[in-house]
Amino acid sequence: MDNILIICEKPTAAEKIASSLADTHPVKKALNKVPYYELTHKGKNIIVVCAVGHLFNLAEKEKKGWTYPVFKLEWQPSYKVSKSSAFTKAYILVIEKQAKNCNEFYVATDKDTEGELIGANILRFIINKKDGKRMEFSTLTKDELIDSFEKAKPHIDFPLLEAAETRHFLDFYWGINLSRALTLAVKSTGHFKILSSGRVQGPALKILSDREKE
């Protein structure tokens, strides 16, 4: 019998999906306070797990100190990138453990660029799969969730995933390189102050500066 793993974007969505698909009642379990659900749907064994938003973030592939330009990036677990994301490690461990008992994988994250990236990164970097089935829904109503599971798309949305990755890479390139260039420019004058800029921040500050001068 197939064992199915459903990947959700957040705990509330996992709870709703589990309760909607369960033939009777889902069994709620937890590991290190991270919840997951076991249930059956029309004879199929299903485990529903959740993330808490992004479990992976971009980071420099080769750290060479405070230098630029930086173009070699890679996805790393969020808890390795930022101390404030240490809590995400427990979610990665739960997904990794439950995935070992499954042979079919469904992505049930939000149907937008960020949701596609969250689900795809879990498939790629935790489960070691390049693809999975895709549940698509706009509301967390029982009928729509059941329909999205039973009529799941055979693949994740790769164009949407590429759009998400492009934005993340561009944001990182602009942010890290401009910020370091500005900071080192100030440092060269004998002062030190960390300055930041980015793809959105820089143009926004320019608009505010122009309006202030007016």
Side-chain angles (χ1 to χ4, degrees):
M1 183 182 293
D2 289 339
N3 291 320
I4 297 170
L5 186 77
I6 297 179
I7 302 160
C8 303
E9 189 165 330
K10 53 185 78 73
T12 52
E15 182 179 15
K16 188 65 178 179
I17 290 172
S19 61
S20 297
L21 294 180
D23 290 333
T24 53
H25 296 287
V27 177
K28 183 179 181 180
K29 297 187 176 182
L31 181 63
N32 294 325
K33 299 182 179 181
V34 175
Y36 64 95
Y37 301 85
E38 295 180 353
L39 59 111
T40 58
H41 176 77
K42 296 182 178 180
K44 297 179 179 179
N45 294 326
I46 298 174
I47 299 174
V48 182
V49 295
C50 64
V52 273
H54 288 283
L55 298 182
F56 294 86
N57 286 95
L58 287 173
E60 291 180 72
K61 196 170 186 178
E62 301 173 1
K63 291 189 177 181
K64 298 180 180 179
W66 193 268
T67 60
Y68 74 96
V70 174
F71 291 113
K72 293 183 179 181
L73 308 178
E74 65 180 359
W75 292 104
Q76 292 185 10
S78 298
Y79 68 86
K80 290 185 177 181
V81 177
S82 171
K83 292 181 179 179
S84 64
S85 297
F87 67 95
T88 62
K89 184 176 182 178
Y91 288 83
I92 291 176
L93 293 176
V94 168
I95 296 171
E96 185 177 46
K97 182 176 181 179
Q98 298 308 315
K100 292 178 181 177
N101 302 318
C102 299
N103 55 8
E104 197 170 356
F105 304 95
Y106 285 63
V107 172
T109 50
D110 292 349
K111 191 65 174 88
D112 54 26
T113 54
E114 297 306 301
E116 208 68 31
L117 181 59
I118 290 168
N121 278 349
I122 289 172
L123 284 175
R124 294 185 293 187
F125 304 127
I126 301 179
I127 304 173
N128 198 28
K129 297 286 183 182
K130 294 181 179 180
D131 196 7
K133 293 187 176 181
R134 187 56 160 108
M135 290 174 59
E136 296 184 354
F137 49 87
S138 55
T139 64
L140 291 173
T141 58
K142 182 175 182 177
D143 289 344
E144 186 171 357
L145 291 173
I146 291 174
D147 191 62
S148 70
F149 173 76
E150 295 180 348
K151 298 178 182 177
K153 300 291 179 64
H155 306 286
I156 60 175
D157 191 330
F158 285 100
L160 200 60
L161 169 61
E162 290 169 1
E165 284 199 299
T166 298
R167 189 185 71 79
H168 276 262
F169 272 82
L170 285 174
D171 282 350
F172 200 99
Y173 287 147
W174 277 80
I176 194 168
N177 289 305
L178 289 178
S179 296
R180 288 185 178 181
L182 288 170
T183 300
L184 292 174
V186 171
K187 186 178 180 181
S188 68
T189 66
H191 300 81
F192 182 77
K193 183 177 179 61
I194 295 178
L195 300 176
S196 65
S197 186
R199 185 177 62 87
V200 176
Q201 184 183 2
L205 289 174
K206 176 65 164 59
I207 293 170
L208 289 173
S209 176
D210 289 346
R211 290 301 298 274
E212 180 67 19
K213 290 177 180 178
E214 289 177 9

